Amino acid sequence: MRTRLLPLLLLAWTTPVFAHGITHGAGFMTGFNHPVLGLDHLLAMLSVGLLSTQLGGRAIWTVPLAFMGFMLVGGILGLYGVALPLVELGIALSVLLLGLAIALGKHIPLLLAMGFVGLFAIFHGHAHGAEMPALASPVLYALGFLTGTAVIHLLGVALGIIMQQLSRKLPLLRLSGGVIALVGGYLIVGV
């Protein structure tokens, strides 16, 4: 199983090569880099993948898809300048609470988990949409941040599967959730 996941992990860490540079202003790559290079976004989206693996079954794909769908809605709101209060706090809280959900290891009903991640996804999406560069193509930018998010979710799922297989005595998945929650607490203090 580990040998099949290795190519996915390596793919997630590769850097694309542009033979002709970035065209059309800031587009796909700018959107892609936003969730990948921001620690708060990266940890929240990684947590969604870890949580979905912990829940298992259909949650492995429905929870990340719910996040991405609600994130797109938030992105549209941000793009059109619809005010959303406390966006940065919502993002920091998402890291803390997703980390705690993983650390506690309790089974959450699927619809509740989808709503839980969906609520936080609106904040993440709003930040992406509101911070879109003026020259960016909105479609390419949105495809970029959705693709970046999907890659991080897949990485979280892969890491979750690996941690579950290695966790015979030490609950690695739950420990990683605790570390993520601690970082989330630090992020909240910074907001």
Side-chain angles (χ1 to χ4, degrees):
M1 180 68 163
R2 279 186 253 161
T3 57
R4 285 186 258 165
L5 290 176
L6 184 60
L8 286 175
L9 291 173
L10 292 175
L11 182 62
W13 290 105
T14 60
T15 305
V17 176
F18 293 99
H20 304 287
I22 298 174
T23 58
H24 306 295
F28 181 85
M29 285 311 298
T30 303
F32 184 90
N33 286 336
H34 193 153
V36 173
L37 299 178
L39 180 65
D40 49 358
H41 295 299
L42 178 68
L43 288 176
M45 294 168 190
L46 191 65
S47 295
V48 169
L50 293 171
L51 179 64
S52 68
T53 302
Q54 190 175 47
L55 297 174
R58 291 186 346 194
I60 290 175
W61 60 272
T62 56
V63 170
L65 282 177
F67 187 95
M68 291 176 63
F70 281 98
M71 186 180 67
L72 183 58
V73 170
I76 292 168
L77 293 173
L79 177 65
Y80 284 104
V82 176
L84 184 62
L86 305 172
V87 171
E88 291 302 318
L89 180 60
I91 291 170
L93 272 172
S94 73
V95 177
L96 172 69
L97 295 178
L98 285 164
L100 281 175
I102 296 164
L104 294 174
K106 302 291 183 197
H107 183 74
I108 304 169
L110 182 59
L111 288 177
L112 180 60
M114 291 169 67
F116 178 65
V117 302
L119 171 67
F120 293 125
I122 292 171
F123 290 107
H124 286 271
H126 191 277
H128 295 322
E131 295 172 13
M132 183 181 81
L135 296 177
S137 160
V139 172
L140 289 176
Y141 183 79
L143 285 173
F145 74 70
L146 286 170
T147 303
T149 298
V151 168
I152 299 168
H153 287 330
L154 287 172
L155 181 62
V157 168
L159 288 172
I161 290 169
I162 291 168
M163 283 190 244
Q164 285 178 332
Q165 290 178 349
L166 296 176
S167 302
R168 301 295 178 234
K169 294 182 182 179
L170 185 64
L172 294 175
L173 193 55
R174 292 181 63 190
L175 286 173
S176 69
V179 170
I180 291 168
L182 286 173
V183 173
Y186 174 78
L187 292 172
I188 288 172
V189 170
V191 173

